[in-house]
Amino acid sequence: MLYMIYQFFDINLFQYITIRAGISFFIAFILTLILMPKFIAWARARNANQPIYKHAPEGHQAKGKTPTMGGIVFLTSTLVAVFFTVKFNNFYAIGGLLALISFAIIGIKDDLSKINHKNNEAGLSSKSKFFMQIIASLVVGFYLYFGNFSTELYVPFNKYPVFDMGIFAVAFWTMVFVSTSNAVNLTDGLDGLATVPSIFSIMSLSVFVYVMGHAILSDYLLVPNFKGIGEVTIIATALVGALIGFLWHNCHPAEIFMGDSGSLALGGFIAYMAIITKNEFLLIAIGFVFVLETVSVILQVGSYKTRKKRIFHMAPIHHHFEIKGWAENKIIVRFWIIALISNLIALITLKIR
């Protein structure tokens, strides 16, 4: 809408991505701060609480009365902010919204099922969720492929593509979508644990998005230039603003959880940003906390199935530290520190090619 104002009334200020990105941030942030208390009150009145997994550490059972599905609020705030600031004829912006909304729908369906049955295990089955994630990934993947987006594969520190994946890029992107959305979902187990690393990841990827959409900067830093990709920065800043507003209520002790509606959507959008910036492999550093959580689960399951022995007291790894006696707040802040450092390392790669 702001870009339309620029076109019709020649208000030059609104043509710039940086200005519209800043405005989108504050719209989403303020709207989330306004809406979240109302949603919390509404959720409490209807007992829309987070069912706690029966095998979770003992201290988690007290969180059973905490409302969930806060993701709906910060995603709604994001979409409202985007409506006022983004160019809706932009190919990459539409793809970003498609990824955000499609994965959010899966999460909403899972959350509602858990709430209605008052049971954490009553959500979508693993197979159903996995199937729906694949479908959502394929939809976005084919959108990019048939939109003639580059299918070349890049690796960190190399300014040239390794090879062209062709149609197989869709399968590769699907793997990135599914693994990232599940990784963020696994991390969402402590108050604010998934929120801040998601903010760091989105902010880091926003730098890559903006640089790759800028002809001069992309040429200087020897990264691919994709015309129009910079518009995704506006969606990213709106989401960051909404997440900071959400964190106001989600920090320890949490007044509300994001639920799968939030975590799956975040994972889907982070994956999308990694794909369009050709940072699928660098995502290991950008989302290092998510990778750490996922690997801990894989190792735990693999070890128990093959050796009948557990590596950790409990997986994901944040539960391991809980059982070891670490205070929840200490685990959260230390994981935030790890996320910050890993993202700074990822950003350094922009100049090393």
Side-chain angles (χ1 to χ4, degrees), residues 195-232:
T195 306
V196 173
S198 293
I199 291 171
F200 289 154
S201 298
I202 295 169
M203 289 176 68
S204 294
L205 287 165
S206 294
V207 173
F208 283 95
V209 167
Y210 184 76
V211 167
M212 289 183 173
H214 196 289
I216 297 174
L217 290 177
S218 60
D219 181 63
Y220 173 69
L221 292 170
L222 304 176
V223 295
N225 174 238
F226 300 123
K227 186 178 179 180
I229 195 177
E231 200 71 16
V232 178

Side-chain angles (χ1 to χ4, degrees), residues 73-96:
V73 179
F74 69 68
L75 289 173
T76 299
S77 299
T78 298
L79 294 176
V80 171
V82 166
F83 173 77
F84 284 103
T85 53
V86 84
K87 292 188 337 188
F88 280 98
N89 63 344
N90 182 275
F91 170 77
Y92 296 101
I94 293 173

